[in-house]
Amino acid sequence: MNLAGAHILSVDQFTREDVELLFQTADAMLPFAQRKQITRVLEGAILSNMFFEPSTRTRVSFGSAFNLLGGAVRETADATDSAIAKGESLRDTARVLSGYSDVIVMRHPDAGAVAHFAETSRVPVINGGDGDHEHPSQALLDLYTIQSERQAQGHSIDKLKIAMMGDLRYGRAVHSLCKILSLFEQIELQLISPEALRLPDDYKNQIKASGHSIIETEQLEEGLAGVDIVYVTRTQEERFPNREEAQRYRGLLQMNKDIYTKYCAPSTAIMHPLPRDSRGGDGEISRDLDGHPNLAIFRQTDNGIIVRMAIFAHVLGVADLVSQNTKPVRWLKRN
Ligand code: NCD
């Protein structure tokens, strides 16, 4: 599809070619993200970054990505600070904000709310996560990371064997990632979760219909066997009917050095959309893996910037103009 002017609401809208094009643009963003050069291609443009649910990385990296392209960012980080707290409908808010901005990123606790908001927006809307539904930009940055981890070992995304473990029922990052992986060839998914937190059938059916294989298990030993990547997730406490119920699953499935050494191949990369839940000690990825060369979680967060820059460049139709309009960096640079 032509991404210029489009809302980005679900990974279902992408073809493999779209993804490859976005990743080429993301690669071209590296000198700007690393502060080796400046581009002002979005000078004068305004992003409204609307986050009605907690967020650190998605909110800050969307904002930084827009700034790195030369644009300005307006932010609302809490529904209680916006007119939604006075009863304004999402439709009215969309109509108003699209008069103030060139693009809007929105995160909302309800599945489908961002798509509903987009119906009345006159500017492109990007889904920054809607309830337990989807998180398309996270899936793109995860896929970009999978591609670079695989390339480092001489492979492409095709024929990937990936384990996803934890809360697969409510985790929107997993939902979007497994759908976008379906665009590739011969993907093997090994889903590890307690029975009650299994991946919903709709997602499984879509993956199987694209010709990929799925196994489901509660056992780490079985689920981790032979995988190239293990994608660990947090129990999505905020989506459970109550806290006590979520509590039953916290820490149940943990990746730690022992498990990794016992069940994973030495080259298996460990990913997680973050945040890891570290309350009360070790979270779903134990700190004894910090510093392990195959722990890719901070490579993922770094990739979030260039991938989100690429999304803005395509949605706002400037992808081909980025390399014109550059300047040198004059301040003291990191490394
Ligand atoms: C994820 C989310 O919000 O869905 N976080 C993120 O955006 N990186 C995953 C999570 O919160 O567990």
Side-chain angles (χ1 to χ4, degrees):
M1 73 178 287
N2 183 359
L3 295 177
H7 301 305
I8 307 291
L9 300 173
S10 160
V11 294
D12 288 335
Q13 65 195 89
F14 299 125
T15 61
R16 181 170 177 158
E17 289 67 38
D18 294 331
V19 170
E20 286 165 357
L21 181 66
L22 274 162
F23 288 0
Q24 271 171 31
T25 306
D27 289 337
M29 295 300 180
L30 209 54
F32 309 109
Q34 292 178 336
R35 320 297 203 265
K36 295 198 167 118
Q37 271 184 315
I38 296 171
T39 175
R40 312 307 298 163
V41 78
L42 287 185
E43 190 157 26
I46 295 178
L47 161 69
S48 286
N49 219 11
M50 310 294 293
F51 277 73
F52 299 136
E53 241 195 5
S55 172
T56 304
R57 277 128 302 265
T58 307
R59 180 170 55 83
V60 176
S61 67
F62 263 122
S64 301
F66 206 74
N67 288 149
L68 284 164
L69 290 166
V73 181
R74 284 277 160 272
E75 198 156 274
T76 295
D78 187 345
T80 54
D81 313 323
S82 81
I84 288 179
K86 297 183 188 171
E88 185 170 60
S89 69
L90 278 177
R91 296 179 73 82
D92 282 2
T93 309
R95 170 64 185 78
V96 172
L97 283 178
S98 51
Y100 299 162
S101 30
D102 299 279
V103 56
I104 298 170
V105 175
M106 174 176 273
R107 169 170 288 188
H108 197 284
D110 300 335
V114 181
H116 175 64
F117 176 91
E119 283 167 17
T120 29
S121 172
R122 292 172 300 167
V123 300
V125 175
I126 300 172
N127 182 359
D130 63 323
D132 64 3
H133 181 223
E134 279 224 37
H135 195 348
S137 66
Q138 180 71 42
L140 286 167
L141 77 89
D142 288 339
L143 191 64
Y144 183 93
T145 307
I146 290 171
Q147 177 175 276
S148 47
E149 299 291 315
R150 293 278 283 166
Q151 273 171 354
Q153 295 176 5
H155 302 292
S156 70
I157 300 173
D158 294 327
K159 302 195 176 146
L160 174 76
K161 189 163 174 175
I162 181 169
M164 297 188 179
M165 67 184 255
D167 180 354
L168 310 182
R169 175 177 181 183
Y170 295 115
R172 58 193 172 199
V174 163
H175 298 167
S176 292
L177 179 59
C178 63
K179 288 203 287 180
I180 210 167
L181 279 169
S182 304
L183 296 174
F184 293 80
E185 301 292 326
Q186 297 177 48
I187 304 296
E188 289 181 61
L189 277 178
Q190 313 209 141
L191 306 176
I192 314 167
S193 68
E195 173 101 43
L197 299 184
R198 285 191 174 179
L199 187 70
D201 286 344
D202 284 358
Y203 299 102
K204 282 189 285 210
N205 294 339
Q206 193 172 334
I207 296 156
K208 285 185 192 153
S210 313
H212 305 292
S213 75
I214 298 183
I215 66 155
E216 287 184 294
T217 176
E218 297 189 37
Q219 306 305 322
L220 287 171
E221 181 172 6
E222 186 188 358
L224 294 173
V227 298
D228 306 299
I229 306 263
V230 50
Y231 191 91
V232 186
T233 64
R234 175 181 70 88
T235 302
Q236 306 283 296
E237 188 180 286
E238 63 278 33
R239 316 259 176 247
F240 280 72
N242 58 61
R243 210 159 172 257
E244 291 63 51
E245 185 155 350
Q247 212 45 35
R248 289 173 37 202
Y249 300 105
R250 269 188 64 210
L252 203 62
L253 286 173
Q254 194 199 45
M255 176 54 67
N256 58 38
K257 207 170 196 168
D258 232 32
I259 300 280
Y260 184 82
T261 317
K262 236 162 129 185
Y263 302 138
C264 294
S267 58
T268 305
I270 306 165
M271 295 176 58
H272 189 304
L274 300 185
R276 16 178 192 173
D277 185 347
S278 307
R279 287 170 296 180
D282 265 350
E284 46 304 331
I285 298 181
S286 163
R287 275 173 291 191
D288 66 9
L289 282 165
D290 285 3
H292 193 291
N294 295 347
L295 186 69
I297 56 178
F298 299 114
R299 296 195 280 278
Q300 277 172 274
T301 53
D302 284 348
N303 290 335
I305 290 280
I306 52 174
V307 168
R308 290 184 169 118
M309 289 174 81
I311 295 173
F312 286 131
H314 282 282
V315 166
L316 292 174
V318 294
D320 295 336
L321 305 176
V322 173
S323 55
Q324 301 166 20
N325 224 340
T326 65
K327 291 190 212 167
V329 167
R330 300 197 191 283
W331 64 83
L332 187 65
K333 280 173 276 181
R334 304 176 300 178
N335 327 329

